[in-house]
Structure formats: structure tokens, C-alpha cells
Amino acid sequence: MRWLLRILGVLLVLLVVSVAAIWLLSGRAMGARYDVSPEAVTIPTDSAALARGQHLGTAIGKCVDCHGMDLSGQAMALGPVGTFTARNLTSGKGGLGSRTDADWVRSIRHGVAPDGRPLVFMPSRVYAALSNADLGALIAWVKSMPPVDHELPASTVGPIGRVILATSPERLISARLVDHAAPIPAAVPPGPTPEYGRYLAVSGGCTFCHGDNLKGGLKDGPPDTPLSADLTQAGPLGQWTEADFTKALREGVRPDGSNINPFMPWRLARLMTDEEISAVWAYLKTVRG
Ligand code: HEC
Ligand code: HEC
């Protein structure tokens, strides 16, 4: 009996110590400050650039998946991971308020708020791949959106989110992965080429969810989210045709007729042009796995 109590006592102490360590480490990850002086990016005003920005924000970068079609923001409940609020990006009530163009670049490309705080759950590591021209067009489009009054609560991190922040904070904090001193990514000429396909796969989040090596097996959503699929030639896609791939992205259906889980954002990927889908396919053909 006394031994049992002693063991329980030791376990209790261990539990308290680990919970304290997790709270301390996760708090430190969120409390870090990043001193980033963003690069100058020209924000265009012509209608072609605005259209490009809108396409980048929906079909490619999928900002609207989290921030909503009108960019007025939403709270995303991911169970024990936390409830993350994708901010209202418009100039309405509850929006970001007055911002400089440097603030936009710092948030989107570097994952850092104007006060130096790292953004949590905002996938800036994806958008760090955008060229200056594309980032400028994207910012121009976001700024052109009509104001929407939408006040939202701040994000809250749950116990599993705390564990992630304590053990592998880069999964939730992009600012830890972005190389803030890296040269600005070069613009890649659009066309159905593997080079452009790679650019779209990185800045379009395919590598974010399917892994840098596109081998899949990652899970970054609510508990019922499926693991991401293997997109390399060693996986099922090695047997697919380009028409199968196009159908998967446009209709969310595999060649065997089964449905792809909507956590795979095909409802936005379907808005990619034929040329963009061909480019991503040409790139995937080069990924042996
Ligand atoms: C996976 C969901 C997700 C996607 C996709 C996403 N965001 Fe966010 N974004 C967030 C969350 C969550 C926050 C709040 C982060 C915080 O306050 O810690 C945020 C915050 C922001 C902020 C505010 C930063 C600040 O200074 O407070 C900007 C600007 C922003 N996002 C722009 C974009 C743009 C532009 C895109 C598309 C290119 C995009 N986001 C895509 C989730 C997302
Ligand atoms: C938000 C995360 C996310 C993003 C971004 C994403 N995917 Fe997926 N994708 C998934 C998940 C999860 C699955 C598995 C769905 C299932 O099991 O039904 C999947 C499945 C797929 C499938 C079906 C493959 C199969 O064998 O079942 C294809 C094809 C695919 N994704 C291609 C892409 C491409 C191309 C991109 C970039 C344009 C992309 N995905 C971006 C999460 C994502």
C-alpha cells in the first residue's frame, strides 16, 4: 500500500513537472519576438494584377479557405489542438486596422505580426515562396476587398496544441521555418513546365500538406482528418493519367470513383487553370519518391 502511494506520488510529480514544462516551452515559442525588416514590394494597381492577386488568393494560395470568401475571417475549431482565428483582413470593424505595405509583407511572407509576434497557424512558410510580383498582386487584391464588420475572439491553444508548440513549434509557427534573410524567390515564367509546377505546388500548399518530399502521411487538422496522400510516382499517382489528375482536382474523385475527403481543398484547387494543372502534373512526374 505504501509502495503504491509512493509510485502514485512520483507519477503525480512527473505529471505536474511535464505539464509545467509544456506550458513554459509553448509559452516561450509564442512569446518569442522576431525582428524582421521586410523587403520593399511594389503593390500594383492595374486590373490585370488585381485579377492575378485574386487567383493567387483563391485557387493557388487558398487564403479564402481560412479567412473566408470575403476575407472577413473565421474561428476554426480543431478540437484539443485549439481554436485558431484567421483574422478579418478587411478594413471593417474587427479588421486589421491601419497597416503599412511593409506590415503586409511581414505577415504574409515572414509570418510575423507588426509587433514582432510570430503568427500561429498562418502558413506563411508556403507564401514565402511567392515572387515579389506575385506577392504584390496578392496584397493589392487583399487591400481591394470591401470592408466587412466582423469581430472575432482571439485564438486559443488547446492542450495538444501546447504539446505541439513545446515539442515541434515549427508545425504551428511558420516564422521558425522561414529563412528571414533568404534572397527573394525569383519569378518563374508561367507555362506547363515542371519548374512552374513546382512553384505552384510550393506556393499552393501541396508540399505543406503532402510534405516537402510529397510522400504524404501528414495530418494537420481536426481528429477526423485523413492522412495526406502520397503524390510521388511511387504512390498511386504513378498509375494515373493527366486526365485522372485533372478530374481529381476538379471533381474530388479518384480514378476508381471514390471521393477525396474535402479536407483536401480541391474545391479551391479546381479553380486552377488547365495550364496550371498541367504544370503541377509535369512537376509531379519528376518526383520519383
Ligand atoms: C490554414 C489557415 C490559413 C490560411 C490558408 C491563411 N491564413 Fe492568414 N491567418 C491565419 C490565422 C490563424 C491567423 C492569425 C494568426 C495569429 O494571430 O497568430 C492569420 C493571420 C493573417 C494576417 C494577420 C497578421 C497580423 O499581423 O495579425 C494576415 C495579413 C493574413 N493572415 C493573410 C493571409 C493571406 C494573404 C493568405 C493567403 C495567401 C492567408 N492569410 C492564408 C490562418 C490562415
Ligand atoms: C490542407 C491540406 C492539403 C493541401 C493544401 C493539399 N492537399 Fe491534397 N490531400 C490532402 C489530404 C488530407 C488528402 C487525402 C484525402 C483522402 O484521404 O480522402 C489529399 C489527397 C490528394 C489527392 C488524392 C490522391 C490519392 O491517392 O488519394 C491528390 C491527387 C492531391 N491531394 C493533390 C494535391 C495537390 C496537387 C495539391 C496542391 C495544389 C494538394 N493536394 C494540396 C491534403 C491537402
Side-chain angles (χ1 to χ4, degrees), residues 158-196:
I160 299 294
R162 287 270 177 180
V163 172
I164 296 173
L165 284 169
T167 53
S168 42
E170 67 287 350
R171 282 178 61 198
L172 288 174
I173 297 183
S174 267
R176 294 181 73 104
L177 284 180
V178 174
D179 176 356
H180 301 286
I184 293 157
V188 182
T193 62
E195 294 74 32
Y196 193 53

Side-chain angles (χ1 to χ4, degrees), residues 116-143:
R117 181 181 67 85
L119 301 178
V120 179
F121 204 71
M122 156 75 186
S124 295
R125 58 176 289 207
V126 169
Y127 312 129
L130 289 172
S131 68
N132 266 0
D134 277 348
L135 182 60
L138 180 67
I139 295 173
W141 168 67
V142 175
K143 285 171 70 171

Side-chain angles (χ1 to χ4, degrees), residues 199-226:
Y199 177 76
L200 295 172
V202 176
S203 58
C206 319
T207 50
F208 180 72
C209 286
H210 290 272
D212 287 333
N213 55 10
L214 292 171
K215 289 294 284 176
L218 302 179
K219 185 183 176 104
D220 269 307
D224 58 344
T225 311

Side-chain angles (χ1 to χ4, degrees), residues 62-63 66-67 84-87 89 96 99 104 107-108 113-114 117 119-123 127 138 142:
K62 308 174 185 70
C63 318
C66 294
H67 291 277
F84 298 99
T85 299
R87 305 273 313 261
L89 301 182
L96 292 178
R99 308 199 115 216
W104 287 109
S107 308
I108 300 170
R117 181 181 67 85
L119 301 178
V120 179
F121 204 71
M122 156 75 186
Y127 312 129
L138 180 67
V142 175

